[in-house]
Amino acid sequence: MTFLRRVPFTIVLIAILLGVSMATGPIYGPSAFVRNLVGIDLDTIFQREWWSILTASFFVQNVGQLIVVVLAAAVCVGVAEWLMGTRGTVFAFVLTGLLAFAVGLGAQAIGTAAGEYWATAVKSLDTTDPLSPILGALAVASSFASVLWRRRIIILLLAFTTVFLFYSGQPSDLYRVLAVLIGMTVGAVLTRRRVHLVRWTSSHHEARVLLASVSTIFALGPVITLVSHGRFGLLSPLGMFITNGMPRGRSSSSSCSISGVGKVCTEQLGSHAGQGFSAIVLAILPLLVILAGSYGLLMGRRAAVYAVAAIASTDSLLAAFYFGVVPAIGPTSRVADRVIQSPEFAFWIGANVVVPLAFAAVLLSQRRHFSIRATALSRRRFVLTIGIALAAAFGTYLAAGWILRDLFRPKVDILDLLVDFPQRFIPLSFLLAERRSFVPTETLTRLLYHGIGPLLWTTILVALIILLRNSSSLHSRPAESTEFRRLLHEGSGSMAFPATWRGNGYWFDAGRSCAIAYRVVNGCAVTTSEPVGNPGDARDSLGQFLRFCDANAWTPVFYGIHHDWAALLVDIGWSTTVVAEETIISPAAWDMTGKKWQDVRSSINRAAREGVQVTWGTWAAFSPKITNQIAEISELWVVEKKLPELGFTLGGLDELRDSDVLLGVAIDESGHVQAVTSWMPTWSQGVLIGHTLDFMRRRADGMNGVMEFVIAEAAARAKRDGLRFLSLSGAPLAVVPNGEHETPVDRILAALGKVLEPVYGFQSLLNFKQKFQPQLAPLYMAYPDAVSLPAIAIAISRCYLPDLGLRESASLLRTLR
């Protein structure tokens, strides 16, 4: 009821839409007379019926559109009203609708005067479109949302409206794009936010969500063309070149028209192409492959990137061949005729080549966000399956076609079948670019002709789904991950839990009592902290791992290990250097008395006054309202940095979802998340003995001192639970001077830490943690030979920043400067 009271305009708008629809025709929409009276069209708007620019926002064409519009109003206008109030929403609805219609009609008028093909073709269409002001209002409201949701809303709105414009291309599609663009501008003005083009920086999780959403929307584009009443879009050449180009079919009284494709036209189309139901199947199956790939993108599968990019690139190549090469070499091509009649149609054809290729290029350029790769065995099975299926289809088509050659018209030979074979797998819209050389006439040949393509596409779809399901982390297999977790419960150091994250491979000693997590970068096997488990002989286990690395020609590097393991490696002749200081609190001795605790006590008192409390639980235990806010806080942090998130031993949003990770979330009285922390577990003999701080982010405009309050609450909780320690983790490249002799490596690391301080604030982080009067425990890097240090330095840098490209490097240099 609270929500309904906050969205009165949304309720009124839905009531008006339903009332008008009931009065004018709830099933088939208004009559032609009413549509002409209340709809916008270029022929009458500047001469009479000026009021239609107002009435067009409240009428729908049929019951299907009514359902879509009512749902869109409930969601989009409801969200807008929640974000910026009723008056602001009414203002945005009216302004964006009027401006979108006015600017769109003006563009059509200019195009018509210039003889532009699209504007001339659609100038007489009556348009009623409530979606333009609805989407425009949401675009305005996006400026009042958080950075995370502003980005999501804008990208999805632009993708949705652009796809409709490209594939359907009716005037209403143009008005919707304009409404969104106008809404973005109006929202920026209302919030006094400067409008400028920047390259957005996203976390891996957010990039996957956005790319998967855009991929799904673009995959549905051909479906839009299929169901659209008029096909005028840049990417709908099918609707363009079938005009007056179809041979007479079963009825000579009806022809295909650019303004719509009726039943007779569909029959002609099927007769001409020699395909019936299979034409629809061949159009749908590639889309299902892309949709499966889109789901894989959401799940972070690298194979999905290549699958979706391959389909998009194939579309581009087919468009280039059938709409470019074929017209050049085939004088009877319909495309060639269409280009001669309307030269601007050549631009439309070019768009069909460029747009899919551009989407594939963008997707491939972002593949670093998709770290889950298929296993080598899964990849081999996928390639083998596709290869066998293709060979079987090829052999079956040639052999069966030759046996049944007399049942085609005209009679075929082996060369005809060979040339035609690739076209059995190509959607109908491309094949209309040329005339068919033969068609099947009997049931057997129809089954062969129509069925071979769908069968192969079905095989590809199933094989891709299996490939995506069998994807695992960068090196490890699921069984190894399970075994590693078992040893982690047996015994582990305070910094060992990041070894369970994606990107690590696992090595086990001969007795399966000890395991080491590592990743191979630049020829170095860099470990994630120290070994886990309870090895009977630690030296022997280390020796086995070193021999394993030597057999693979890797340089072993133990990174982030504690003193005991570092001492063992020093005993066998290795060198060590301190790479971080771990800050450890003893819960049993936790006491905040004395002047040195004044800042922490002040933060606790301030939290009590402002009604901020810490709630504990796993990610799954929190409501979507809380987890969405956590994601917003995390994404804002990444956006402000304009650099990739550090990985390796530092977790991000994905790592918070682990069921073993405890979250401490500071929430105020109004339900807003002020800060979030994550605490990784440490076990000994299956018993939880400590927690280690990992994820630590706060709301930019939140309560001062909220992080001190959360950590103090964590220490008090650890004391109540009887834990042995609470680690605040280590800050990389931040070391407290101890007066001992410094090696050249120590000096280099110290200098690097100072250089990176303006970007990542490692030393500031260490200074912050010292507010809690912790014990300092050095974390070491152990290496076998100083000669390998340059390669090791590159390897560790790439472990933390595997996605650092030229743009990110330039951003880093600008920040440092």
Side-chain angles (χ1 to χ4, degrees):
M1 293 301 295
T2 302
F3 176 79
L4 294 179
R5 284 195 295 268
R6 288 189 59 173
V7 292
F9 175 66
T10 303
I11 297 173
V12 171
L13 176 62
I14 293 174
I16 292 174
L17 291 170
L18 291 173
V20 170
S21 178
M22 294 299 110
T24 58
I27 305 299
Y28 301 106
S31 64
F33 172 77
V34 174
R35 282 199 299 269
N36 184 60
L37 191 64
V38 301
I40 298 174
D41 70 88
L42 193 60
D43 285 340
T44 61
I45 187 67
F46 294 118
Q47 302 172 14
R48 60 185 187 279
E49 300 173 6
W50 54 266
W51 59 83
S52 61
I53 200 170
L54 299 173
T55 57
S57 296
F58 301 99
F59 288 80
V60 296
Q61 296 180 3
N62 51 54
V63 66
Q65 189 184 44
L66 175 64
I67 294 172
V68 172
V69 166
V70 168
L71 290 176
V75 175
C76 299
V77 181
V79 169
E81 199 166 1
W82 184 275
L83 288 173
M84 58 181 181
T86 300
R87 290 184 180 180
T89 304
V90 173
F91 171 77
F93 181 89
V94 174
L95 182 66
T96 56
L98 290 177
L99 288 181
F101 292 150
V103 174
L105 288 168
Q108 288 178 245
I110 294 173
T112 301
E116 194 273 330
Y117 184 86
W118 175 84
T120 303
V122 302
K123 69 175 184 178
S124 298
L125 295 182
D126 292 322
T127 299
T128 56
D129 183 43
L131 281 178
S132 291
I134 288 173
L135 299 182
L138 181 60
V140 175
S142 68
S143 293
F144 295 83
S146 65
V147 171
L148 175 66
W149 282 102
R150 179 164 67 244
R151 176 184 300 184
R152 288 179 175 177
I153 291 171
I154 290 303
I155 287 181
L156 293 180
L157 282 179
L158 288 176
F160 175 79
T161 55
T162 302
V163 164
F164 267 87
L165 181 63
F166 279 180
Y167 283 97
S168 175
Q170 298 187 67
S172 59
D173 300 312
L174 173 64
Y175 303 152
R176 292 165 194 166
V177 173
L178 291 172
V180 171
L181 296 175
I182 292 169
M184 292 168 56
T185 305
V186 172
V189 172
L190 293 177
T191 56
R192 294 181 173 84
R193 188 168 47 81
R194 193 172 128 197
V195 178
H196 58 288
L197 295 177
V198 296
R199 190 180 70 87
W200 273 335
T201 303
S202 292
S203 64
H204 297 313
H205 173 79
E206 184 64 13
R208 292 195 293 267
V209 170
L210 294 176
L211 288 173
S213 301
V214 172
S215 176
T216 300
I217 291 173
F218 273 92
L220 298 176
V223 178
I224 296 171
T225 298
L226 184 65
V227 302
S228 177
H229 292 290
R231 296 164 181 174
F232 310 98
L234 196 63
L235 300 183
S236 61
L238 170 63
M240 296 296 296
F241 60 74
I242 63 175
T243 307
N244 300 323
M246 294 295 299
R248 294 296 180 184
R250 303 175 187 175
S251 171
S252 60
S253 61
S254 300
S255 62
C256 294
S257 169
I258 191 172
S259 63
V261 180
K263 178 181 179 182
V264 173
C265 177
T266 303
E267 292 176 350
Q268 294 176 7
L269 198 60
S271 174
H272 166 66
Q275 305 191 60
F277 180 72
S278 68
I280 299 176
V281 175
L282 271 179
I284 295 299
L285 281 173
L287 303 185
L288 293 180
V289 172
I290 297 181
L291 290 177
S294 299
Y295 180 76
L297 295 177
L298 186 63
M299 296 295 103
R301 267 54 173 176
R302 180 70 63 90
V305 174
Y306 297 117
V308 175
I311 297 295
S313 300
T314 301
D315 283 346
S316 177
L317 292 175
L318 289 174
F321 179 77
Y322 283 105
F323 302 153
V325 176
V326 170
I329 64 177
T332 60
S333 168
R334 289 177 176 76
V335 176
D337 295 341
R338 200 74 191 93
V339 171
I340 293 173
Q341 295 173 16
S342 179
E344 72 183 74
F345 188 68
F347 172 76
W348 290 53
I349 297 304
N352 284 267
V353 178
V354 173
V355 173
L357 196 62
F359 177 66
V362 169
L363 193 57
L364 289 172
S365 71
Q366 301 300 312
R367 63 187 181 277
R368 64 182 183 274
H369 297 294
F370 304 88
S371 60
I372 305 179
R373 301 184 182 182
T375 62
L377 178 60
S378 297
R379 294 195 298 269
R380 287 195 296 270
R381 285 177 177 172
F382 176 78
V383 173
L384 186 61
T385 299
I386 300 303
I388 293 174
L390 185 59
F394 180 73
T396 301
Y397 189 68
L398 291 187
W402 173 252
I403 294 172
L404 302 172
R405 59 188 180 275
D406 293 331
L407 301 181
F408 290 96
R409 290 292 180 270
K411 180 180 177 180
V412 298
D413 57 29
I414 196 69
L415 182 60
D416 293 327
L417 294 170
L418 188 64
V419 172
D420 184 69
F421 174 73
Q423 300 178 3
R424 297 304 92 230
F425 314 102
I426 298 172
L428 176 63
S429 57
F430 295 110
L431 299 183
L432 285 175
E434 61 177 10
R435 291 179 172 86
R436 310 302 299 138
S437 56
F438 62 87
V439 294
T441 60
E442 301 294 338
T443 301
L444 288 177
T445 50
R446 288 194 185 101
L447 287 174
L448 177 68
Y449 193 85
H450 300 336
I452 198 75
L455 282 176
L456 181 61
W457 274 108
T458 301
T459 303
I460 293 174
L461 176 62
V462 173
L464 177 62
I465 292 174
I466 294 174
L467 176 67
L468 297 177
R469 288 180 56 131
N470 289 341
S471 296
S472 62
S473 59
L474 191 59
H475 297 293
S476 62
R477 293 187 291 270
E480 292 179 342
S481 299
T482 302
E483 179 71 4
F484 185 86
R485 289 220 178 211
R486 182 188 67 80
L487 292 175
L488 196 69
H489 281 73
E490 290 297 316
S492 59
S494 58
M495 303 297 296
F497 194 80
T500 64
W501 298 344
R502 293 174 183 171
N504 293 312
Y506 299 122
W507 172 89
F508 300 90
D509 67 1
R512 311 294 284 190
S513 61
C514 175
I516 295 175
Y518 68 96
R519 57 184 70 193
V520 179
V521 181
N522 198 38
C524 299
V526 184
T527 72
T528 306
S529 191
E530 55 213 27
V532 303
N534 288 312
D537 187 338
R539 287 178 180 273
D540 181 62
S541 295
L542 284 177
Q544 292 180 42
F545 179 72
L546 298 184
R547 289 191 293 273
F548 166 74
C549 292
D550 184 62
N552 288 280
W554 299 333
T555 300
V557 182
F558 282 84
Y559 186 84
I561 61 177
H562 290 89
H563 180 269
D564 292 345
W565 287 97
L568 286 176
L569 291 165
V570 169
D571 288 345
I572 62 174
W574 282 38
S575 301
T576 62
T577 187
V578 178
V579 292
E581 296 277 7
E582 184 181 11
T583 48
I584 301 175
I585 296 172
S586 173
W590 176 255
D591 185 11
M592 293 186 295
T593 59
K595 186 176 180 181
K596 59 187 177 182
W597 291 96
Q598 182 60 43
D599 286 348
V600 179
R601 290 198 302 269
S602 298
S603 298
I604 295 174
N605 294 334
R606 185 179 299 111
R609 291 194 303 269
E610 298 188 16
V612 178
Q613 295 182 339
V614 177
T615 302
W616 300 94
T618 62
W619 178 275
F622 287 100
S623 67
K625 178 182 178 181
I626 299 300
T627 55
N628 284 337
Q629 291 185 67
I630 293 173
E632 291 175 9
I633 292 172
S634 175
E635 191 65 22
L636 182 60
W637 185 90
V638 175
V639 170
E640 288 177 342
K641 289 291 184 183
K642 296 189 181 300
L643 287 170
E645 292 179 282
L646 293 176
F648 192 32
T649 61
L650 300 172
L653 195 63
D654 289 337
E655 286 70 33
L656 268 61
R657 292 171 167 81
D658 195 301
S659 59
D660 286 325
V661 172
L662 179 68
L663 302 185
V665 184
I667 306 173
D668 62 22
E669 292 178 327
S670 61
H672 291 105
V673 174
Q674 296 289 315
V676 58
T677 57
S678 71
W679 300 87
M680 303 178 294
T682 299
W683 296 279
S684 178
Q685 301 297 324
V687 177
L688 181 68
I689 61 172
H691 275 130
T692 300
L693 177 63
D694 175 38
F695 191 91
M696 183 173 63
R697 291 176 190 174
R698 64 186 294 272
R699 186 178 294 277
D701 57 351
M703 183 192 86
N704 290 331
V706 66
M707 200 57 69
E708 288 91 333
F709 165 63
V710 175
I711 293 176
E713 288 290 295
R717 176 189 171 94
K719 184 174 184 177
R720 292 193 302 270
D721 292 344
L723 300 184
R724 296 182 193 173
F725 71 88
L726 187 74
S727 172
L728 302 185
S729 192
L733 303 178
V735 178
V736 176
N738 55 14
E740 296 181 1
H741 175 69
E742 290 186 347
T743 66
V745 176
D746 294 329
R747 288 192 289 271
I748 292 173
L749 291 176
L752 181 59
K754 291 180 180 179
V755 170
L756 293 177
E757 177 64 20
V759 182
Y760 289 108
F762 297 135
Q763 188 62 49
S764 301
L765 179 61
L766 179 60
N767 295 339
F768 166 78
K769 292 176 180 179
Q770 288 186 348
K771 289 183 179 182
F772 302 93
Q773 313 306 315
Q775 299 174 358
L776 297 181
L779 297 174
Y780 297 88
M781 179 183 72
Y783 52 95
D785 189 352
V787 175
S788 303
L789 279 175
I792 292 172
I794 294 173
I796 293 175
S797 299
R798 287 175 59 189
C799 283
Y800 276 110
L801 286 168
D803 310 322
L804 189 65
L806 293 177
R807 290 179 176 177
E808 289 82 3
S809 299
S811 297
L812 175 61
L813 292 175
R814 284 195 299 269
T815 304
L816 295 176
R817 187 169 63 244

